[in-house]
Amino acid sequence: MSVIYYIGILATLLVSSGNPTISGEKGQGRHLVFTFDDGPSYKTTPLLLDYLDRLGLKAIFFVNGQRFNGRSHIVKRNLEVLKEVHRRGHKIGNHTYSHPLMSEVSKKKQYWQLAKNEKLIEKITGYKPRLYRPPFGQMSYHARVYLKQHNYSTLMWNLDSEDPFQRHVAKVYANVLSTLYFYKRGLVLMHDTNSWSIEAVPRIVKAIKLWNCELMARGEPIFEFGDVADFRLPGENKYKEPDLKMIKKAYKRRIKMKKWCETIGKGDNDS
Ligand SMILES: [Zn+2]
């Protein structure tokens, strides 16, 4: 092995250490965040936004610029949908401009894919995205360098709905819940371009709420639909004590959950 080989490994380690990666299984408590990739789509995303509003949830959308940048009728409609995603308070993350396998394209093209998409998102939200999800979940050296320079965190997932391959509501539902049963927390990967994925969301949430009723009856912590901040970054080994405001909020959510559990069987628990 040559010295250059070892220098290369060291450089990769240094770069990756500066680009935090969150996978979802690490953290405190039973937290869950929905993430949706490859959109926006004027055909499917609006219904998802209505579902999320009704459920009182915020999600993260990892978008591709080519879907909402250009002059075609479809692209313009998608752009309006993405503005609505932002208006309703969801986070928007960078998923590259056209979803290439990053390791297969040149350094220049990798930078362009990230920078172009970043600019388009900034135009809509007013701020630079700081969350990245690699297309096909595949990281590359040059992307890591860019992400480090621009203060991104990479968000992977541990609760895979497998929705590109298993195109059925029941399959998506089962995949998310079975992995959640295993990990007890995590980041859900879905695609808001799939109608079957969107239809699975309210069903998954209802199942988790019913699960919460059982947990509460046993005096255990319940699942919370949280934020990325709930997942510990690599190197953050210390558990931070939540402040009083957060504890009060969690208490209120528990009371609300308890009330919901009490309504089960009375026909008013459809949300
Ligand atoms: Zn993707």
Side-chain angles (χ1 to χ4, degrees), residues 157-172:
W157 62 89
N158 63 321
L159 307 175
D160 195 346
S161 68
E162 310 251 2
D163 60 346
F165 320 107
Q166 300 188 16
R167 307 172 140 225
H168 195 280
V169 179
K171 294 268 186 195
V172 170

Side-chain angles (χ1 to χ4, degrees), residues 37-38 64 95 99 135-136 191:
D37 290 8
D38 297 3
N64 300 121
H95 195 40
H99 209 283
F136 310 102
H191 297 80

